[in-house]
Amino acid sequence: MNNTSFSQSAVSSAAHHKISVQELIYCGIFTALIAVGAFIKVPVPVVPFTLQFLFTMLAGLLLGGKLGALSVVAYLVLGLAGLPIFSEGGGIWYVFKPSFGYIIGFCIATYVTGTMAEHMKLTIKNLLIANFTGLLIVYAAGMLYYYVICNFVIDTPIGVWPLFLYCFLLAVPGDICLCILAAFFVKRIKPLLQLRR
């Protein structure tokens, strides 16, 4: 009797965690938006400023940590498989691009930002905290990867100060604006999406 009850509970739990068709569609939409965001560029030295961070952040905030991260991982896998959806093309060789670390950062940050937002009250302050946490993760992963690839893999050395200047100081102001924009957007739109569900 206990075994039967346990089995039914396990099946019920698995069904509860199964991704619905609607959720898969939402993930697909954000995967497409992230790909489009890669080609909306503002030319700055070294690392181009794109809207990818905005769409990865929105994926986490609107879909939650797991589904948001899934949409970013799908984007990463499709790009590495050869689709030219990264800002400078696609293919497995892209792992040797110094800027690939930012894409890895997007995956981690989307999960963290989305998970934080799921467990906090929906306020501008809390959304900003989640967004800026994600921002720090993206830049930490991106800059570390950039430094390692340049100095130890492709033999184009870069110092710590030039790295900080070009990969953070010159790039981060735009992303700070995106964090603020996303917070106000999600504060207005998320309650409407929840009502529709």
Side-chain angles (χ1 to χ4, degrees), residues 3-136:
N3 288 339
T4 304
S5 183
F6 176 78
S7 298
Q8 288 174 342
S9 175
V11 170
S12 174
S13 176
H16 179 70
H17 285 83
K18 192 174 181 181
I19 299 174
S20 69
V21 173
Q22 184 183 39
E23 288 172 333
L24 281 176
I25 291 171
Y26 286 150
C27 286
I29 290 171
F30 272 101
T31 298
L33 286 172
I34 295 163
V36 170
F39 297 97
I40 304 174
K41 301 179 187 178
V42 176
V44 295
V46 185
V47 180
F49 173 75
T50 71
L51 291 187
Q52 283 178 302
F53 177 60
L54 174 64
F55 292 128
T56 58
M57 186 167 37
L58 289 176
L61 294 174
L62 295 175
L63 302 183
K66 290 180 181 177
L67 290 176
L70 178 63
S71 66
V72 184
V73 169
Y75 165 76
L76 184 150
V77 170
L78 289 171
L80 291 179
L83 290 179
I85 55 176
F86 295 148
S87 62
E88 297 178 68
I92 194 67
W93 65 271
Y94 212 88
V95 296
F96 297 110
K97 293 280 292 181
S99 59
F100 184 70
Y102 289 92
I103 300 175
I104 296 172
F106 291 150
C107 297
I108 302 168
T110 301
Y111 177 78
V112 172
T113 300
T115 302
M116 287 178 68
E118 285 178 294
H119 294 92
M120 296 191 300
K121 190 175 179 182
L122 189 65
T123 66
I124 295 295
K125 179 184 175 181
N126 287 340
L127 289 169
L128 286 174
I129 290 170
N131 291 350
F132 284 122
T133 301
L135 180 69
L136 291 175

Side-chain angles (χ1 to χ4, degrees), residues 139-163:
Y139 276 88
M143 291 171 67
L144 178 62
Y145 196 92
Y146 201 103
Y147 184 84
V148 170
I149 293 293
C150 283
N151 287 287
F152 303 108
V153 179
I154 61 175
D155 196 28
T156 54
I158 185 170
V160 173
W161 167 245
L163 178 77

Side-chain angles (χ1 to χ4, degrees), residues 49 53 57 128 132 135 139 168 171-182:
F49 173 75
F53 177 60
M57 186 167 37
L128 286 174
F132 284 122
L135 180 69
Y139 276 88
F168 184 76
V172 79
D175 285 330
I176 289 174
C177 293
L178 293 181
C179 285
I180 297 168
L181 175 66

